[in-house]
Amino acid sequence: MIDPMATETFSCAVETLKLNHPLTGTVGTFSYLFLIEYVAPFPAKAIGESTLPPELKAHIKVGQDKLKEQGTPARTWLIRNQQTNEGDELRLYVIRMGIDKPDVHYLTFEKYEQITYSPFDKLAKKPGGTRVDKPIYLVCTNGNRDACCSKFGFPIYKKLYQEIPNPDEHVWQCSHVGGHRFAANMVTLPYGHYYGQVEEKDLSSIASHSKKHEVYLDKYRGTAPYKPYQQVALAHIMKETGDLQPSSFSIVSETAYDSTVELSFLHTETFSSHYVTVQSKEISIIKGCATPEPTAGTVWEVV
């Protein structure tokens, strides 16, 4: 558990908890995710500073650039767990996130150069390989990016690894996922639901909700394919209706006025309409342990 009164060393996660900043609406927007099993410790800049072959780094950039041009941005992270060993067969996961037919596939490789055989933009559309039908849990433990990620993330990973059946298939340490001030951070797949300030007591709830394709609102940061203001509006509707499945709601329209956005949602089964207005607000945030000075940031809140 994060102790908000801890004072030994500066901690961006502890300071953010003291400030009581909202969790929801703090997730960057992207549609596809590639996970590369990696045998070494995660570097601060996961791909750029890794020991991956230069041709693979170039391959990743080209694929992500093409997907961004197509309006479906992607990210690539490094993963590892207890069974990741040099010389063993490793995995490349391809994830299409969101509520519209999300899926997870993985392919295996023996050498990193083999990944360059398939363009990432084409792999995203037709990944092939083995389909994964159960949730996958990622926990950011990238202490080289921010000390809070390993300090708070690693205990969560270890506990989750003990609790989830077949953890070598479904529980992974992960490089930087964004928002280390909210450590411990988790991402559940295939939907791309983010959770922040996760404690051990939250894990059973996150797991049980994930199995039912629901979100656990108490520590919910947002869902990756949605824009931050959409994440806030959707969380509000789920809380108001008690329906915790994001797939139950589709965005019908949205209209922006200066700092506010009006959104209308349709429940896909009852066909009921739901309207939410959200507004942006400027606040001071602490980006990380290495940058303790507050800086300007934006949050969204329901009007």
Side-chain angles (χ1 to χ4, degrees):
M1 177 178 179
I2 298 177
D3 179 5
M5 300 307 292
T7 57
E8 317 84 48
T9 58
F10 180 83
S11 165
C12 64
V14 170
E15 292 301 315
T16 298
L17 191 63
K18 289 179 183 178
L19 294 170
N20 197 30
H21 286 169
L23 284 170
T24 310
T26 59
V27 175
T29 306
F30 58 105
S31 303
Y32 289 97
L33 178 61
F34 300 93
L35 303 175
I36 300 175
E37 193 171 359
Y38 189 67
V39 297
F42 304 137
K45 295 182 179 179
I47 303 301
E49 297 177 353
S50 71
T51 59
L52 296 176
E55 57 267 37
L56 176 53
K57 295 180 182 180
H59 181 79
I60 292 170
K61 185 179 186 308
V62 168
Q64 292 191 164
D65 287 347
K66 288 184 178 180
L67 286 167
K68 185 177 181 180
E69 291 171 3
Q70 296 169 17
T72 52
R75 293 186 181 178
T76 303
W77 298 339
L78 304 178
I79 58 170
R80 60 178 291 118
N81 63 17
Q82 316 296 65
Q83 58 85 36
T84 301
N85 291 296
E86 191 168 2
D88 289 351
E89 195 172 59
L90 301 174
R91 294 188 177 193
L92 166 67
Y93 283 87
V94 182
I95 301 100
R96 178 175 62 191
M97 299 180 299
I99 63 174
D100 183 21
K101 298 179 181 179
D103 58 31
V104 177
H105 290 77
Y106 73 84
L107 303 91
T108 58
F109 61 91
E110 295 178 353
K111 296 181 179 181
Y112 288 113
E113 288 82 0
Q114 292 174 292
I115 300 177
T116 63
Y117 299 164
S118 301
F120 268 26
D121 55 313
K122 294 182 179 179
L123 200 60
K125 312 299 181 183
K126 294 183 179 180
T130 302
R131 182 183 175 89
V132 180
D133 293 319
K134 293 183 178 179
I136 289 179
Y137 305 90
L138 308 176
V139 182
C140 179
T141 60
N142 193 356
N144 284 323
R145 183 63 179 260
D146 191 275
C148 283
C149 294
S150 57
K151 180 178 180 180
F152 299 114
F154 195 67
I156 294 300
Y157 163 75
K158 289 196 296 183
K159 183 66 173 177
L160 194 63
Y161 194 88
Q162 296 169 357
E163 293 188 355
I164 298 297
N166 198 12
D168 286 335
E169 299 281 334
H170 301 288
V171 181
W172 298 87
Q173 297 181 61
C174 183
S175 59
H176 182 58
V177 302
H180 30 262
R181 68 187 186 276
F182 298 119
N185 283 297
M186 280 183 61
V187 181
T188 62
L189 304 172
Y191 293 99
H193 301 322
Y194 272 64
Y195 297 97
Q197 297 173 345
V198 176
E199 302 172 54
E200 290 187 8
K201 65 182 179 63
D202 299 311
L203 296 180
S204 59
S205 295
I206 291 174
S208 62
H209 281 76
S210 296
K211 292 174 184 177
K212 295 182 289 186
H213 311 294
E214 297 177 344
V215 299
Y216 174 57
L217 284 178
D218 286 6
K219 297 298 177 72
Y220 180 59
R221 287 185 57 194
T223 300
Y226 289 101
K227 298 174 183 177
Y229 64 86
Q230 295 170 335
Q231 297 165 16
V232 171
L234 181 59
H236 177 75
I237 291 176
M238 288 190 290
K239 183 178 181 180
E240 291 294 307
T241 62
D243 188 334
L244 302 179
Q245 291 190 6
S247 58
S248 296
F249 304 93
S250 61
I251 299 175
V252 177
S253 67
E254 56 181 61
T255 306
Y257 303 96
D258 296 326
S259 61
T260 65
V261 183
E262 296 178 354
L263 301 98
S264 64
F265 292 78
L266 181 70
H267 195 283
T268 56
E269 293 185 3
T270 65
F271 300 107
S272 57
S273 297
H274 304 268
Y275 303 91
V276 182
T277 299
V278 293
Q279 185 175 37
S280 63
K281 178 182 177 181
E282 298 297 321
I283 64 170
S284 293
I285 64 172
I286 298 169
K287 286 189 174 182
C289 292
T291 53
E293 291 299 320
T295 186
T298 302
V299 296
W300 290 89
E301 55 187 15
V302 175
V303 178

